[in-house]
Amino acid sequence: QVQLVESGGGLVQAGGSLRLSCAASGAIASINTMGWYRQTPGKQRELVAIITNSDTTNYADSVKGRFTISRDIAKNTVYLQMNSLKPEDTAVYYCNANVRNGLTYRYYDYWGQGTQVTVSS
């Protein structure tokens, strides 16, 4: 009903930059928050950054000052600009959206399929 498609992951050297994108499509009445999470093998998925529909943002302490989250409400798209990347940023990055479903008008959390970010030292 609602799909999130991520793009922009890849391999980069430490100190480099990447920009992730996530576009939501389908039966969408409105979107509340959108965010990025990441996960490494054997660890729980953790919040990286989140943005509300009023552009309030929140970041994990480990990425503050290096990552910037933004969104294009008209395109139902969220971005994550990642600068000064470190090897410890290596993970699968997942997009999340809290969506008011256009068919049921109830709110649900949806997830993208994940995109790999690898930072070499």
Side-chain angles (χ1 to χ4, degrees):
Q1 295 178 352
V2 175
Q3 299 81 37
L4 301 183
V5 178
E6 299 138 337
S7 61
L11 173 64
V12 65
Q13 288 188 333
S17 299
L18 283 174
R19 188 187 192 216
L20 304 183
S21 300
C22 172
S25 63
I28 298 171
S30 62
I31 299 178
N32 185 12
T33 60
M34 299 188 80
W36 290 94
Y37 293 71
R38 65 188 181 187
Q39 189 170 22
T40 54
K43 292 189 175 182
Q44 287 190 331
R45 194 171 296 184
E46 63 174 5
L47 173 69
V48 176
I50 194 167
I51 185 167
T52 72
N53 55 9
S54 58
D55 284 341
T56 299
T57 59
N58 191 32
Y59 296 91
D61 288 342
S62 59
V63 307
K64 283 181 181 177
R66 300 188 297 121
F67 291 11
T68 302
I69 189 170
S70 61
R71 68 190 284 181
D72 185 330
I73 292 178
K75 295 182 179 180
N76 290 332
T77 299
V78 64
Y79 306 95
L80 186 68
Q81 178 66 44
M82 304 185 292
N83 299 328
S84 303
L85 282 160
K86 304 175 181 179
E88 50 264 43
D89 294 318
T90 295
V92 178
Y93 284 70
Y94 295 91
C95 173
N96 170 269
N98 184 249
V99 176
R100 190 177 188 190
N101 189 286
L103 299 177
T104 66
Y105 289 92
R106 297 178 66 180
Y107 283 95
Y108 301 92
D109 271 334
Y110 294 94
W111 293 89
Q113 78 284 359
T115 184
Q116 177 70 45
V117 171
T118 303
V119 184
S120 62
S121 57

